[in-house]
Amino acid sequence: MRVCIVYFSQTGNTHKIAEAIQAQTAEAAGHCAMLRLEEADPAIFSGYDVVGFGLPAFYFREPINVYHFFKDMPDQSKAGRSKPFFFFVTHGGTPGDVYSRIDRLANSRGMQTIDYFQCLGIDTYPPFADRKPLTAYGHPDQNDLLQAKTFAKDIIHKAGAYLGRGEFNKPKIPGNWITRTVAGFFSEQKIRLMMRRHLLPSKNIRPGRCTKCGLCVENCPQGIISLNPYPMIDESNCIACYHCQRICPTNALDCDWRVFKFISGEYFRSQKPIPPGD
Ligand SMILES: Cc1cc2nc3c(=O)[nH]c(=O)nc-3n(C[C@H](O)[C@H](O)[C@H](O)COP(=O)(O)O)c2cc1C
Ligand code: SF4
Ligand code: SF4
């Protein structure tokens, strides 16, 4: 059984789960290829019997680059039968509609979700970075990794039954009209543009602080930053992940989160700063 996993991970949470799932899957199936989204062609799944996708929740749904990967993917069904598909998600505690959106995207590309896995991942969104999140802190932990391995073992049995005998119990994918409405609202082109204009901060380069080290260029998941001689961002393809801000060692990408923190209520939460060394 040829298995392939593609995953997107910006700060390493989904990567940890992907590694655990790949190791176990390779043991159970004899083979499991794995690629990061940035290096995967949307047609990659065509050469495999069973395929999996890992992602973080961004803005209550899948990150936009993940959405485009599925949209650009050729149909995966063979002789009228959908290809077995599984997915895994890490999130900070409010995943919104990510599960049913991925399920629907997979379906639209001739794949059938045979199961999914989810766990918390420490929230890496910059405006939340200076407090100790109540739920996701420390995740994924050893227990999450253990559960991911158990999931991987099961998935190979389930895929075998699906491919061999056509047996299959459709998993119950979380999601309802509330999560659909919230994710749908934040996915609307006009709302996204409005958020970008009025709620999310612009990225202001401070040339005095920038050492032109290129870290932001290398780590932007969209590959849209160039040094010229200071970072220039092609904003039209930006997925608003703010990884460039997170990763800059000299705070040369200045983002003013005050409006976002005010509107999202972050200012009014009891702040629990992460103790040094924790
Ligand atoms: C831009 C951005 C948006 C996010 N939006 C959500 C969200 O809507 N709901 C949620 O539960 N977590 C959200 N998170 C937290 C991530 O889903 C969580 O930290 C995830 O484990 C990150 O995975 P990674 O380390 O593999 O990138 C967001 C994080 C970022 C950076
Ligand atoms: S990571 Fe920071 S210092 Fe390095 S090039 Fe980018 S903005 Fe400049
Ligand atoms: S420019 Fe920054 S915020 Fe935009 S996609 Fe790249 S890393 Fe993310």
Side-chain angles (χ1 to χ4, degrees):
M1 193 186 296
R2 285 173 57 80
V3 188
C4 178
I5 295 172
V6 174
Y7 70 97
F8 173 55
S9 179
Q10 194 167 67
T11 50
N13 295 338
T14 315
H15 171 77
K16 283 184 195 161
I17 297 296
E19 281 196 328
I21 290 179
Q22 186 211 18
Q24 196 60 53
T25 306
E27 207 177 301
H31 175 269
C32 180
M34 188 160 85
L35 286 95
R36 298 182 71 93
L37 177 67
E38 294 87 335
E39 61 197 20
D41 186 291
I44 177 90
F45 284 163
S46 301
Y48 293 88
D49 310 313
V50 182
V51 293
F53 197 95
L55 68 154
F58 272 16
Y59 302 108
F60 310 115
R61 50 168 285 180
E62 76 285 0
I64 312 282
N65 49 345
V66 170
Y67 172 81
H68 286 298
F69 180 79
F70 278 88
K71 282 290 171 195
D72 294 342
M73 189 184 290
D75 187 90
Q76 297 296 312
S77 59
K78 263 191 198 153
R81 195 201 236 186
S82 299
K83 183 172 283 187
F85 172 78
F86 62 91
F87 64 90
F88 47 99
V89 175
T90 68
H91 59 86
T94 51
D97 203 38
V98 65
Y99 312 110
S100 65
R101 285 183 62 95
I102 289 294
D103 182 46
R104 289 200 298 274
L105 278 170
N107 262 300
S108 74
R109 291 297 170 261
M111 298 183 286
Q112 175 62 61
T113 306
I114 50 172
D115 211 350
Y116 75 96
F117 175 84
Q118 63 81 31
C119 72
L120 288 168
I122 185 162
D123 199 333
T124 48
Y125 197 40
F128 303 149
D130 55 355
R131 74 182 161 101
K132 190 170 185 170
L134 294 178
T135 47
Y137 190 70
H139 289 274
D141 59 16
Q142 285 308 316
N143 191 36
D144 297 323
L145 297 179
L146 215 63
Q147 287 187 21
K149 285 187 172 178
T150 308
F151 164 81
K153 229 186 266 175
D154 285 354
I155 209 78
I156 294 307
H157 287 299
K158 287 179 182 164
Y162 179 87
L163 287 170
R165 304 183 292 279
E167 283 171 12
F168 160 64
N169 283 329
K170 188 164 172 50
K172 185 159 171 27
I173 308 288
N176 54 38
W177 68 269
I178 302 176
T179 57
R180 249 195 309 280
T181 309
V182 172
F185 177 78
F186 284 105
S187 303
E188 276 297 319
Q189 184 86 354
K190 278 187 192 151
I191 300 296
R192 289 216 324 262
L193 277 175
M194 198 185 75
M195 278 179 66
R196 292 283 290 279
R197 235 173 253 148
H198 303 295
L199 188 60
L200 299 177
S202 43
K203 301 172 257 328
N204 302 309
I205 314 290
R206 300 270 178 247
R209 294 187 203 154
C210 178
T211 58
K212 298 183 248 173
C213 68
L215 261 184
C216 56
V217 178
E218 283 160 35
N219 287 283
C220 167
Q222 291 291 81
I224 53 168
I225 311 181
S226 50
L227 281 186
N228 190 22
Y230 295 104
M232 303 259 294
I233 298 173
D234 168 12
E235 287 288 346
S236 61
N237 285 313
C238 175
I239 61 169
C241 63
Y242 290 93
H243 196 43
C244 46
Q245 185 202 0
R246 281 191 73 256
I247 207 158
C248 176
T250 56
N251 284 329
L253 277 156
D254 204 5
C255 303
D256 184 351
W257 286 97
R258 279 177 303 180
V259 174
F260 178 90
K261 282 187 170 183
F262 185 80
I263 301 221
S264 69
E266 184 62 15
Y267 265 136
F268 311 106
R269 291 192 191 186
S270 67
Q271 300 285 305
K272 290 195 173 188
I274 299 173
D278 197 1

